[in-house]
Amino acid sequence: MTTYDFAIVGAGIAGASLAAELAEGGARVLLLEAEDRPGYHSTGRSAAFWEECYGGPEIVPLTLASGDYLRDNGFLHQRGALYIGRQEDAGALDRFMERFGDTGATIERLHREALAEKVLGLREDWTEAVWEPACADIDVAGLHAHFLARARKAGVDLECRALVDSLSRKDGHWTIKTAAGGTYKASWVVDAAGAWADSLAQLAGARPLGIGPLRRTVVQLRIDPVVPADQPLVLDISGQFYFKPEAGRLWLSPHDEIPSEPCDAAPEEIDVATAIDRFQQVVDCRIEAVERRWAGLRSFSPDRLPVYGRDPQVEGFAWFAGQGGYGIQTSPAAARLAAQLLLGAGRDEMTEKIDASLYDPARFA
């Protein structure tokens, strides 16, 4: 039986990107996925965008460090983003400018005239905004396939329908058993299990970190007039909605974060109705049809920062989890950083400005 250096549990964007980086660094890597195919849950349901301020100032370094990789490999389509508000939200938008002003993000304060030019049918009471010209759509499927291809080329073994059933450690190695009857051995187990991260940690005897799944709903609308294809991503400064055009339709979310058990998430009718109600208060248009609706789980640690690195108590167990909704836009730099931490390798140009201590699992010890 092959003994791997690393067995990564979860083959979404997190596990796939880390597998590629570790294998290209010389490690023998096994990638275990519980579903029939990689990316079935959060990765496959994301309306992802690369947005410099998303996740807060502590996430900006990971986002900026990932930008060139995503652009140079053709995974970004320029769109721009607007955080909008009413007159009473002017202070919140000013504070947003102050909060992100020194992070390296490109942001600009706008008022009604410039704002109305960017959003078709915007109702008159929406008068204030922050403009982020660098925001871009992400080709999520293409990016995920890219990482899987890199991993495969570097010798990673991918096993699907491999739900981890038990973990035991002896003589410096883990024995990993799956519900389908598979048995594998590895020196390290890396937890990239997303919503199931804490459950996997318990199998390894590690203390759960409180990584909690939150449900996010998205609906696809057909509206009249048709939203321009180049209209920016529009987000509420109070976190009540966001929407953007997609192939002649509009993708809309109520920006919900509903606590959930780890599961195959499905949208609730109340969340769909809430999204539409909030949207109609922003844009004057006619909704002709709700064509699709879906939901995914975004998993956050208690401080809403990701968790990268070796568990402080359980030998041979490491975390690559808790990446919330920004795991896709930060995946190149996050995976590079985590691989460097696990391999004991030095930093490179992509990761040299990132403070890894922000994401160390030992902060919860």
mmCIF file with all atom_site columns, all heavy atoms in Angstrom, residues 11 16-17 19-21 23-24 31 38 69 75 141-156 158:
data_model
loop_
_atom_site.group_PDB
_atom_site.id
_atom_site.type_symbol
_atom_site.label_atom_id
_atom_site.label_alt_id
_atom_site.label_comp_id
_atom_site.label_asym_id
_atom_site.label_entity_id
_atom_site.label_seq_id
_atom_site.pdbx_PDB_ins_code
_atom_site.Cartn_x
_atom_site.Cartn_y
_atom_site.Cartn_z
_atom_site.occupancy
_atom_site.B_iso_or_equiv
_atom_site.pdbx_formal_charge
_atom_site.auth_seq_id
_atom_site.auth_comp_id
_atom_site.auth_asym_id
_atom_site.auth_atom_id
_atom_site.pdbx_PDB_model_num
ATOM 1   N N   . ALA A 1 11  ? -12.204 17.844 -2.250  1.00 0.00 ? 11  ALA A N   1
ATOM 2   C CA  . ALA A 1 11  ? -11.617 18.171 -3.556  1.00 0.00 ? 11  ALA A CA  1
ATOM 3   C C   . ALA A 1 11  ? -12.305 19.355 -4.212  1.00 0.00 ? 11  ALA A C   1
ATOM 4   O O   . ALA A 1 11  ? -12.340 19.469 -5.430  1.00 0.00 ? 11  ALA A O   1
ATOM 5   C CB  . ALA A 1 11  ? -11.668 16.949 -4.476  1.00 0.00 ? 11  ALA A CB  1
ATOM 6   N N   . ALA A 1 16  ? -8.301  21.041 -4.124  1.00 0.00 ? 16  ALA A N   1
ATOM 7   C CA  . ALA A 1 16  ? -7.662  20.896 -5.435  1.00 0.00 ? 16  ALA A CA  1
ATOM 8   C C   . ALA A 1 16  ? -6.452  21.811 -5.575  1.00 0.00 ? 16  ALA A C   1
ATOM 9   O O   . ALA A 1 16  ? -5.395  21.403 -6.074  1.00 0.00 ? 16  ALA A O   1
ATOM 10  C CB  . ALA A 1 16  ? -8.675  21.185 -6.537  1.00 0.00 ? 16  ALA A CB  1
ATOM 11  N N   . SER A 1 17  ? -6.596  23.068 -5.137  1.00 0.00 ? 17  SER A N   1
ATOM 12  C CA  . SER A 1 17  ? -5.478  24.010 -5.249  1.00 0.00 ? 17  SER A CA  1
ATOM 13  C C   . SER A 1 17  ? -4.323  23.608 -4.354  1.00 0.00 ? 17  SER A C   1
ATOM 14  O O   . SER A 1 17  ? -3.149  23.664 -4.760  1.00 0.00 ? 17  SER A O   1
ATOM 15  C CB  . SER A 1 17  ? -5.945  25.436 -4.920  1.00 0.00 ? 17  SER A CB  1
ATOM 16  O OG  . SER A 1 17  ? -6.507  25.511 -3.617  1.00 0.00 ? 17  SER A OG  1
ATOM 17  N N   . ALA A 1 19  ? -3.641  20.556 -3.239  1.00 0.00 ? 19  ALA A N   1
ATOM 18  C CA  . ALA A 1 19  ? -3.050  19.335 -3.775  1.00 0.00 ? 19  ALA A CA  1
ATOM 19  C C   . ALA A 1 19  ? -2.049  19.653 -4.872  1.00 0.00 ? 19  ALA A C   1
ATOM 20  O O   . ALA A 1 19  ? -0.946  19.078 -4.920  1.00 0.00 ? 19  ALA A O   1
ATOM 21  C CB  . ALA A 1 19  ? -4.146  18.411 -4.308  1.00 0.00 ? 19  ALA A CB  1
ATOM 22  N N   . ALA A 1 20  ? -2.408  20.566 -5.757  1.00 0.00 ? 20  ALA A N   1
ATOM 23  C CA  . ALA A 1 20  ? -1.495  20.946 -6.839  1.00 0.00 ? 20  ALA A CA  1
ATOM 24  C C   . ALA A 1 20  ? -0.211  21.546 -6.290  1.00 0.00 ? 20  ALA A C   1
ATOM 25  O O   . ALA A 1 20  ? 0.893   21.195 -6.726  1.00 0.00 ? 20  ALA A O   1
ATOM 26  C CB  . ALA A 1 20  ? -2.198  21.934 -7.771  1.00 0.00 ? 20  ALA A CB  1
ATOM 27  N N   . GLU A 1 21  ? -0.340  22.458 -5.323  1.00 0.00 ? 21  GLU A N   1
ATOM 28  C CA  . GLU A 1 21  ? 0.850   23.119 -4.780  1.00 0.00 ? 21  GLU A CA  1
ATOM 29  C C   . GLU A 1 21  ? 1.744   22.132 -4.034  1.00 0.00 ? 21  GLU A C   1
ATOM 30  O O   . GLU A 1 21  ? 2.975   22.162 -4.189  1.00 0.00 ? 21  GLU A O   1
ATOM 31  C CB  . GLU A 1 21  ? 0.429   24.257 -3.852  1.00 0.00 ? 21  GLU A CB  1
ATOM 32  C CG  . GLU A 1 21  ? -0.191  25.450 -4.559  1.00 0.00 ? 21  GLU A CG  1
ATOM 33  C CD  . GLU A 1 21  ? 0.831   26.268 -5.335  1.00 0.00 ? 21  GLU A CD  1
ATOM 34  O OE1 . GLU A 1 21  ? 2.047   26.143 -5.066  1.00 0.00 ? 21  GLU A OE1 1
ATOM 35  O OE2 . GLU A 1 21  ? 0.410   27.034 -6.221  1.00 0.00 ? 21  GLU A OE2 1
ATOM 36  N N   . ALA A 1 23  ? 1.964   18.820 -4.420  1.00 0.00 ? 23  ALA A N   1
ATOM 37  C CA  . ALA A 1 23  ? 2.560   17.849 -5.335  1.00 0.00 ? 23  ALA A CA  1
ATOM 38  C C   . ALA A 1 23  ? 3.662   18.480 -6.172  1.00 0.00 ? 23  ALA A C   1
ATOM 39  O O   . ALA A 1 23  ? 4.702   17.862 -6.420  1.00 0.00 ? 23  ALA A O   1
ATOM 40  C CB  . ALA A 1 23  ? 1.476   17.250 -6.229  1.00 0.00 ? 23  ALA A CB  1
ATOM 41  N N   . GLU A 1 24  ? 3.449   19.719 -6.601  1.00 0.00 ? 24  GLU A N   1
ATOM 42  C CA  . GLU A 1 24  ? 4.488   20.403 -7.371  1.00 0.00 ? 24  GLU A CA  1
ATOM 43  C C   . GLU A 1 24  ? 5.689   20.740 -6.509  1.00 0.00 ? 24  GLU A C   1
ATOM 44  O O   . GLU A 1 24  ? 6.790   20.966 -7.023  1.00 0.00 ? 24  GLU A O   1
ATOM 45  C CB  . GLU A 1 24  ? 3.909   21.667 -8.007  1.00 0.00 ? 24  GLU A CB  1
ATOM 46  C CG  . GLU A 1 24  ? 2.944   21.349 -9.148  1.00 0.00 ? 24  GLU A CG  1
ATOM 47  C CD  . GLU A 1 24  ? 2.180   22.553 -9.650  1.00 0.00 ? 24  GLU A CD  1
ATOM 48  O OE1 . GLU A 1 24  ? 2.333   23.655 -9.068  1.00 0.00 ? 24  GLU A OE1 1
ATOM 49  O OE2 . GLU A 1 24  ? 1.407   22.400 -10.623 1.00 0.00 ? 24  GLU A OE2 1
ATOM 50  N N   . LEU A 1 31  ? -5.932  12.862 -2.813  1.00 0.00 ? 31  LEU A N   1
ATOM 51  C CA  . LEU A 1 31  ? -7.048  13.787 -2.688  1.00 0.00 ? 31  LEU A CA  1
ATOM 52  C C   . LEU A 1 31  ? -8.326  12.964 -2.597  1.00 0.00 ? 31  LEU A C   1
ATOM 53  O O   . LEU A 1 31  ? -8.679  12.231 -3.525  1.00 0.00 ? 31  LEU A O   1
ATOM 54  C CB  . LEU A 1 31  ? -7.079  14.716 -3.906  1.00 0.00 ? 31  LEU A CB  1
ATOM 55  C CG  . LEU A 1 31  ? -8.069  15.872 -3.937  1.00 0.00 ? 31  LEU A CG  1
ATOM 56  C CD1 . LEU A 1 31  ? -7.902  16.784 -2.714  1.00 0.00 ? 31  LEU A CD1 1
ATOM 57  C CD2 . LEU A 1 31  ? -7.888  16.674 -5.227  1.00 0.00 ? 31  LEU A CD2 1
ATOM 58  N N   . PRO A 1 38  ? -15.611 16.107 -7.879  1.00 0.00 ? 38  PRO A N   1
ATOM 59  C CA  . PRO A 1 38  ? -15.112 17.233 -7.091  1.00 0.00 ? 38  PRO A CA  1
ATOM 60  C C   . PRO A 1 38  ? -15.952 18.493 -7.320  1.00 0.00 ? 38  PRO A C   1
ATOM 61  O O   . PRO A 1 38  ? -16.489 18.714 -8.401  1.00 0.00 ? 38  PRO A O   1
ATOM 62  C CB  . PRO A 1 38  ? -13.680 17.429 -7.619  1.00 0.00 ? 38  PRO A CB  1
ATOM 63  C CG  . PRO A 1 38  ? -13.323 16.149 -8.291  1.00 0.00 ? 38  PRO A CG  1
ATOM 64  C CD  . PRO A 1 38  ? -14.610 15.618 -8.842  1.00 0.00 ? 38  PRO A CD  1
ATOM 65  N N   . TYR A 1 69  ? -2.236  35.995 -10.742 1.00 0.00 ? 69  TYR A N   1
ATOM 66  C CA  . TYR A 1 69  ? -2.354  34.610 -11.186 1.00 0.00 ? 69  TYR A CA  1
ATOM 67  C C   . TYR A 1 69  ? -3.685  34.391 -11.903 1.00 0.00 ? 69  TYR A C   1
ATOM 68  O O   . TYR A 1 69  ? -3.736  33.784 -12.980 1.00 0.00 ? 69  TYR A O   1
ATOM 69  C CB  . TYR A 1 69  ? -2.239  33.670 -9.986  1.00 0.00 ? 69  TYR A CB  1
ATOM 70  C CG  . TYR A 1 69  ? -2.235  32.202 -10.363 1.00 0.00 ? 69  TYR A CG  1
ATOM 71  C CD1 . TYR A 1 69  ? -1.039  31.507 -10.510 1.00 0.00 ? 69  TYR A CD1 1
ATOM 72  C CD2 . TYR A 1 69  ? -3.432  31.508 -10.565 1.00 0.00 ? 69  TYR A CD2 1
ATOM 73  C CE1 . TYR A 1 69  ? -1.044  30.157 -10.866 1.00 0.00 ? 69  TYR A CE1 1
ATOM 74  C CE2 . TYR A 1 69  ? -3.444  30.171 -10.916 1.00 0.00 ? 69  TYR A CE2 1
ATOM 75  C CZ  . TYR A 1 69  ? -2.247  29.498 -11.063 1.00 0.00 ? 69  TYR A CZ  1
ATOM 76  O OH  . TYR A 1 69  ? -2.253  28.177 -11.429 1.00 0.00 ? 69  TYR A OH  1
ATOM 77  N N   . PHE A 1 75  ? -8.749  33.750 -15.945 1.00 0.00 ? 75  PHE A N   1
ATOM 78  C CA  . PHE A 1 75  ? -9.921  33.377 -15.157 1.00 0.00 ? 75  PHE A CA  1
ATOM 79  C C   . PHE A 1 75  ? -10.753 34.569 -14.695 1.00 0.00 ? 75  PHE A C   1
ATOM 80  O O   . PHE A 1 75  ? -11.774 34.374 -14.029 1.00 0.00 ? 75  PHE A O   1
ATOM 81  C CB  . PHE A 1 75  ? -9.496  32.541 -13.941 1.00 0.00 ? 75  PHE A CB  1
ATOM 82  C CG  . PHE A 1 75  ? -8.845  31.246 -14.313 1.00 0.00 ? 75  PHE A CG  1
ATOM 83  C CD1 . PHE A 1 75  ? -7.526  31.001 -13.965 1.00 0.00 ? 75  PHE A CD1 1
ATOM 84  C CD2 . PHE A 1 75  ? -9.534  30.290 -15.038 1.00 0.00 ? 75  PHE A CD2 1
ATOM 85  C CE1 . PHE A 1 75  ? -6.909  29.808 -14.328 1.00 0.00 ? 75  PHE A CE1 1
ATOM 86  C CE2 . PHE A 1 75  ? -8.931  29.097 -15.407 1.00 0.00 ? 75  PHE A CE2 1
ATOM 87  C CZ  . PHE A 1 75  ? -7.618  28.856 -15.050 1.00 0.00 ? 75  PHE A CZ  1
ATOM 88  N N   . ALA A 1 141 ? -15.600 27.310 -12.673 1.00 0.00 ? 141 ALA A N   1
ATOM 89  C CA  . ALA A 1 141 ? -15.432 25.953 -13.209 1.00 0.00 ? 141 ALA A CA  1
ATOM 90  C C   . ALA A 1 141 ? -14.073 25.805 -13.888 1.00 0.00 ? 141 ALA A C   1
ATOM 91  O O   . ALA A 1 141 ? -13.390 24.784 -13.713 1.00 0.00 ? 141 ALA A O   1
ATOM 92  C CB  . ALA A 1 141 ? -16.561 25.631 -14.183 1.00 0.00 ? 141 ALA A CB  1
ATOM 93  N N   . GLY A 1 142 ? -13.688 26.817 -14.645 1.00 0.00 ? 142 GLY A N   1
ATOM 94  C CA  . GLY A 1 142 ? -12.391 26.757 -15.309 1.00 0.00 ? 142 GLY A CA  1
ATOM 95  C C   . GLY A 1 142 ? -11.238 26.745 -14.331 1.00 0.00 ? 142 GLY A C   1
ATOM 96  O O   . GLY A 1 142 ? -10.250 26.014 -14.522 1.00 0.00 ? 142 GLY A O   1
ATOM 97  N N   . LEU A 1 143 ? -11.347 27.559 -13.276 1.00 0.00 ? 143 LEU A N   1
ATOM 98  C CA  . LEU A 1 143 ? -10.285 27.613 -12.281 1.00 0.00 ? 143 LEU A CA  1
ATOM 99  C C   . LEU A 1 143 ? -10.170 26.296 -11.525 1.00 0.00 ? 143 LEU A C   1
ATOM 100 O O   . LEU A 1 143 ? -9.066  25.782 -11.305 1.00 0.00 ? 143 LEU A O   1
ATOM 101 C CB  . LEU A 1 143 ? -10.556 28.762 -11.308 1.00 0.00 ? 143 LEU A CB  1
ATOM 102 C CG  . LEU A 1 143 ? -9.535  28.953 -10.178 1.00 0.00 ? 143 LEU A CG  1
ATOM 103 C CD1 . LEU A 1 143 ? -8.150  29.260 -10.735 1.00 0.00 ? 143 LEU A CD1 1
ATOM 104 C CD2 . LEU A 1 143 ? -9.993  30.062 -9.225  1.00 0.00 ? 143 LEU A CD2 1
ATOM 105 N N   . HIS A 1 144 ? -11.304 25.728 -11.127 1.00 0.00 ? 144 HIS A N   1
ATOM 106 C CA  . HIS A 1 144 ? -11.290 24.459 -10.424 1.00 0.00 ? 144 HIS A CA  1
ATOM 107 C C   . HIS A 1 144 ? -10.683 23.358 -11.306 1.00 0.00 ? 144 HIS A C   1
ATOM 108 O O   . HIS A 1 144 ? -9.828  22.578 -10.856 1.00 0.00 ? 144 HIS A O   1
ATOM 109 C CB  . HIS A 1 144 ? -12.717 24.091 -10.002 1.00 0.00 ? 144 HIS A CB  1
ATOM 110 C CG  . HIS A 1 144 ? -12.799 22.915 -9.105  1.00 0.00 ? 144 HIS A CG  1
ATOM 111 N ND1 . HIS A 1 144 ? -13.856 22.031 -9.145  1.00 0.00 ? 144 HIS A ND1 1
ATOM 112 C CD2 . HIS A 1 144 ? -11.971 22.437 -8.131  1.00 0.00 ? 144 HIS A CD2 1
ATOM 113 C CE1 . HIS A 1 144 ? -13.679 21.081 -8.251  1.00 0.00 ? 144 HIS A CE1 1
ATOM 114 N NE2 . HIS A 1 144 ? -12.543 21.307 -7.620  1.00 0.00 ? 144 HIS A NE2 1
ATOM 115 N N   . ALA A 1 145 ? -11.102 23.317 -12.569 1.00 0.00 ? 145 ALA A N   1
ATOM 116 C CA  . ALA A 1 145 ? -10.543 22.325 -13.497 1.00 0.00 ? 145 ALA A CA  1
ATOM 117 C C   . ALA A 1 145 ? -9.043  22.532 -13.689 1.00 0.00 ? 145 ALA A C   1
ATOM 118 O O   . ALA A 1 145 ? -8.281  21.559 -13.817 1.00 0.00 ? 145 ALA A O   1
ATOM 119 C CB  . ALA A 1 145 ? -11.271 22.413 -14.838 1.00 0.00 ? 145 ALA A CB  1
ATOM 120 N N   . HIS A 1 146 ? -8.616  23.760 -13.696 1.00 0.00 ? 146 HIS A N   1
ATOM 121 C CA  . HIS A 1 146 ? -7.193  24.087 -13.831 1.00 0.00 ? 146 HIS A CA  1
ATOM 122 C C   . HIS A 1 146 ? -6.383  23.517 -12.668 1.00 0.00 ? 146 HIS A C   1
ATOM 123 O O   . HIS A 1 146 ? -5.332  22.901 -12.876 1.00 0.00 ? 146 HIS A O   1
ATOM 124 C CB  . HIS A 1 146 ? -7.064  25.609 -13.892 1.00 0.00 ? 146 HIS A CB  1
ATOM 125 C CG  . HIS A 1 146 ? -5.687  26.143 -13.723 1.00 0.00 ? 146 HIS A CG  1
ATOM 126 N ND1 . HIS A 1 146 ? -4.739  26.159 -14.729 1.00 0.00 ? 146 HIS A ND1 1
ATOM 127 C CD2 . HIS A 1 146 ? -5.080  26.700 -12.637 1.00 0.00 ? 146 HIS A CD2 1
ATOM 128 C CE1 . HIS A 1 146 ? -3.622  26.704 -14.287 1.00 0.00 ? 146 HIS A CE1 1
ATOM 129 N NE2 . HIS A 1 146 ? -3.796  27.039 -13.018 1.00 0.00 ? 146 HIS A NE2 1
ATOM 130 N N   . PHE A 1 147 ? -6.884  23.710 -11.449 1.00 0.00 ? 147 PHE A N   1
ATOM 131 C CA  . PHE A 1 147 ? -6.158  23.176 -10.296 1.00 0.00 ? 147 PHE A CA  1
ATOM 132 C C   . PHE A 1 147 ? -6.151  21.641 -10.304 1.00 0.00 ? 147 PHE A C   1
ATOM 133 O O   . PHE A 1 147 ? -5.139  21.020 -9.978  1.00 0.00 ? 147 PHE A O   1
ATOM 134 C CB  . PHE A 1 147 ? -6.775  23.686 -8.997  1.00 0.00 ? 147 PHE A CB  1
ATOM 135 C CG  . PHE A 1 147 ? -6.430  25.110 -8.659  1.00 0.00 ? 147 PHE A CG  1
ATOM 136 C CD1 . PHE A 1 147 ? -7.421  26.018 -8.331  1.00 0.00 ? 147 PHE A CD1 1
ATOM 137 C CD2 . PHE A 1 147 ? -5.109  25.542 -8.657  1.00 0.00 ? 147 PHE A CD2 1
ATOM 138 C CE1 . PHE A 1 147 ? -7.106  27.340 -8.005  1.00 0.00 ? 147 PHE A CE1 1
ATOM 139 C CE2 . PHE A 1 147 ? -4.776  26.861 -8.341  1.00 0.00 ? 147 PHE A CE2 1
ATOM 140 C CZ  . PHE A 1 147 ? -5.784  27.759 -8.023  1.00 0.00 ? 147 PHE A CZ  1
ATOM 141 N N   . LEU A 1 148 ? -7.270  21.048 -10.677 1.00 0.00 ? 148 LEU A N   1
ATOM 142 C CA  . LEU A 1 148 ? -7.320  19.587 -10.754 1.00 0.00 ? 148 LEU A CA  1
ATOM 143 C C   . LEU A 1 148 ? -6.350  19.063 -11.814 1.00 0.00 ? 148 LEU A C   1
ATOM 144 O O   . LEU A 1 148 ? -5.685  18.034 -11.615 1.00 0.00 ? 148 LEU A O   1
ATOM 145 C CB  . LEU A 1 148 ? -8.735  19.116 -11.056 1.00 0.00 ? 148 LEU A CB  1
ATOM 146 C CG  . LEU A 1 148 ? -9.756  19.267 -9.918  1.00 0.00 ? 148 LEU A CG  1
ATOM 147 C CD1 . LEU A 1 148 ? -11.167 18.991 -10.427 1.00 0.00 ? 148 LEU A CD1 1
ATOM 148 C CD2 . LEU A 1 148 ? -9.423  18.331 -8.751  1.00 0.00 ? 148 LEU A CD2 1
ATOM 149 N N   . ALA A 1 149 ? -6.253  19.775 -12.943 1.00 0.00 ? 149 ALA A N   1
ATOM 150 C CA  . ALA A 1 149 ? -5.321  19.362 -13.996 1.00 0.00 ? 149 ALA A CA  1
ATOM 151 C C   . ALA A 1 149 ? -3.876  19.496 -13.538 1.00 0.00 ? 149 ALA A C   1
ATOM 152 O O   . ALA A 1 149 ? -3.041  18.618 -13.811 1.00 0.00 ? 149 ALA A O   1
ATOM 153 C CB  . ALA A 1 149 ? -5.568  20.192 -15.252 1.00 0.00 ? 149 ALA A CB  1
ATOM 154 N N   . ARG A 1 150 ? -3.569  20.585 -12.849 1.00 0.00 ? 150 ARG A N   1
ATOM 155 C CA  . ARG A 1 150 ? -2.219  20.741 -12.292 1.00 0.00 ? 150 ARG A CA  1
ATOM 156 C C   . ARG A 1 150 ? -1.912  19.611 -11.317 1.00 0.00 ? 150 ARG A C   1
ATOM 157 O O   . ARG A 1 150 ? -0.805  19.046 -11.322 1.00 0.00 ? 150 ARG A O   1
ATOM 158 C CB  . ARG A 1 150 ? -2.099  22.089 -11.566 1.00 0.00 ? 150 ARG A CB  1
ATOM 159 C CG  . ARG A 1 150 ? -1.791  23.279 -12.438 1.00 0.00 ? 150 ARG A CG  1
ATOM 160 C CD  . ARG A 1 150 ? -1.689  24.561 -11.613 1.00 0.00 ? 150 ARG A CD  1
ATOM 161 N NE  . ARG A 1 150 ? -0.746  24.428 -10.502 1.00 0.00 ? 150 ARG A NE  1
ATOM 162 C CZ  . ARG A 1 150 ? -0.635  25.302 -9.503  1.00 0.00 ? 150 ARG A CZ  1
ATOM 163 N NH1 . ARG A 1 150 ? -1.422  26.381 -9.492  1.00 0.00 ? 150 ARG A NH1 1
ATOM 164 N NH2 . ARG A 1 150 ? 0.236   25.119 -8.547  1.00 0.00 ? 150 ARG A NH2 1
ATOM 165 N N   . ALA A 1 151 ? -2.889  19.301 -10.471 1.00 0.00 ? 151 ALA A N   1
ATOM 166 C CA  . ALA A 1 151 ? -2.689  18.233 -9.485  1.00 0.00 ? 151 ALA A CA  1
ATOM 167 C C   . ALA A 1 151 ? -2.445  16.891 -10.173 1.00 0.00 ? 151 ALA A C   1
ATOM 168 O O   . ALA A 1 151 ? -1.526  16.145 -9.813  1.00 0.00 ? 151 ALA A O   1
ATOM 169 C CB  . ALA A 1 151 ? -3.905  18.155 -8.559  1.00 0.00 ? 151 ALA A CB  1
ATOM 170 N N   . ARG A 1 152 ? -3.280  16.593 -11.160 1.00 0.00 ? 152 ARG A N   1
ATOM 171 C CA  . ARG A 1 152 ? -3.145  15.319 -11.879 1.00 0.00 ? 152 ARG A CA  1
ATOM 172 C C   . ARG A 1 152 ? -1.773  15.221 -12.560 1.00 0.00 ? 152 ARG A C   1
ATOM 173 O O   . ARG A 1 152 ? -1.103  14.182 -12.494 1.00 0.00 ? 152 ARG A O   1
ATOM 174 C CB  . ARG A 1 152 ? -4.268  15.193 -12.900 1.00 0.00 ? 152 ARG A CB  1
ATOM 175 C CG  . ARG A 1 152 ? -4.280  13.880 -13.670 1.00 0.00 ? 152 ARG A CG  1
ATOM 176 C CD  . ARG A 1 152 ? -5.556  13.737 -14.471 1.00 0.00 ? 152 ARG A CD  1
ATOM 177 N NE  . ARG A 1 152 ? -5.757  14.841 -15.411 1.00 0.00 ? 152 ARG A NE  1
ATOM 178 C CZ  . ARG A 1 152 ? -6.680  15.790 -15.287 1.00 0.00 ? 152 ARG A CZ  1
ATOM 179 N NH1 . ARG A 1 152 ? -7.503  15.790 -14.264 1.00 0.00 ? 152 ARG A NH1 1
ATOM 180 N NH2 . ARG A 1 152 ? -6.786  16.742 -16.186 1.00 0.00 ? 152 ARG A NH2 1
ATOM 181 N N   . LYS A 1 153 ? -1.355  16.302 -13.203 1.00 0.00 ? 153 LYS A N   1
ATOM 182 C CA  . LYS A 1 153 ? -0.069  16.310 -13.894 1.00 0.00 ? 153 LYS A CA  1
ATOM 183 C C   . LYS A 1 153 ? 1.084   16.110 -12.923 1.00 0.00 ? 153 LYS A C   1
ATOM 184 O O   . LYS A 1 153 ? 2.111   15.493 -13.266 1.00 0.00 ? 153 LYS A O   1
ATOM 185 C CB  . LYS A 1 153 ? 0.098   17.627 -14.649 1.00 0.00 ? 153 LYS A CB  1
ATOM 186 C CG  . LYS A 1 153 ? 1.370   17.712 -15.476 1.00 0.00 ? 153 LYS A CG  1
ATOM 187 C CD  . LYS A 1 153 ? 1.433   19.020 -16.259 1.00 0.00 ? 153 LYS A CD  1
ATOM 188 C CE  . LYS A 1 153 ? 2.712   19.090 -17.080 1.00 0.00 ? 153 LYS A CE  1
ATOM 189 N NZ  . LYS A 1 153 ? 2.793   20.377 -17.846 1.00 0.00 ? 153 LYS A NZ  1
ATOM 190 N N   . ALA A 1 154 ? 0.926   16.606 -11.692 1.00 0.00 ? 154 ALA A N   1
ATOM 191 C CA  . ALA A 1 154 ? 1.995   16.490 -10.689 1.00 0.00 ? 154 ALA A CA  1
ATOM 192 C C   . ALA A 1 154 ? 1.946   15.156 -9.944  1.00 0.00 ? 154 ALA A C   1
ATOM 193 O O   . ALA A 1 154 ? 2.756   14.930 -9.043  1.00 0.00 ? 154 ALA A O   1
ATOM 194 C CB  . ALA A 1 154 ? 1.887   17.644 -9.690  1.00 0.00 ? 154 ALA A CB  1
ATOM 195 N N   . GLY A 1 155 ? 1.010   14.273 -10.316 1.00 0.00 ? 155 GLY A N   1
ATOM 196 C CA  . GLY A 1 155 ? 0.994   12.932 -9.736  1.00 0.00 ? 155 GLY A CA  1
ATOM 197 C C   . GLY A 1 155 ? 0.028   12.715 -8.601  1.00 0.00 ? 155 GLY A C   1
ATOM 198 O O   . GLY A 1 155 ? 0.071   11.668 -7.934  1.00 0.00 ? 155 GLY A O   1
ATOM 199 N N   . VAL A 1 156 ? -0.898  13.667 -8.362  1.00 0.00 ? 156 VAL A N   1
ATOM 200 C CA  . VAL A 1 156 ? -1.881  13.495 -7.295  1.00 0.00 ? 156 VAL A CA  1
ATOM 201 C C   . VAL A 1 156 ? -2.859  12.381 -7.663  1.00 0.00 ? 156 VAL A C   1
ATOM 202 O O   . VAL A 1 156 ? -3.334  12.303 -8.801  1.00 0.00 ? 156 VAL A O   1
ATOM 203 C CB  . VAL A 1 156 ? -2.645  14.814 -7.047  1.00 0.00 ? 156 VAL A CB  1
ATOM 204 C CG1 . VAL A 1 156 ? -3.797  14.620 -6.068  1.00 0.00 ? 156 VAL A CG1 1
ATOM 205 C CG2 . VAL A 1 156 ? -1.688  15.890 -6.532  1.00 0.00 ? 156 VAL A CG2 1
ATOM 206 N N   . LEU A 1 158 ? -6.540  11.091 -7.166  1.00 0.00 ? 158 LEU A N   1
ATOM 207 C CA  . LEU A 1 158 ? -7.868  11.552 -6.761  1.00 0.00 ? 158 LEU A CA  1
ATOM 208 C C   . LEU A 1 158 ? -8.794  10.359 -6.614  1.00 0.00 ? 158 LEU A C   1
ATOM 209 O O   . LEU A 1 158 ? -8.914  9.539  -7.516  1.00 0.00 ? 158 LEU A O   1
ATOM 210 C CB  . LEU A 1 158 ? -8.429  12.517 -7.812  1.00 0.00 ? 158 LEU A CB  1
ATOM 211 C CG  . LEU A 1 158 ? -9.903  12.913 -7.677  1.00 0.00 ? 158 LEU A CG  1
ATOM 212 C CD1 . LEU A 1 158 ? -10.157 13.678 -6.382  1.00 0.00 ? 158 LEU A CD1 1
ATOM 213 C CD2 . LEU A 1 158 ? -10.344 13.739 -8.891  1.00 0.00 ? 158 LEU A CD2 1
#
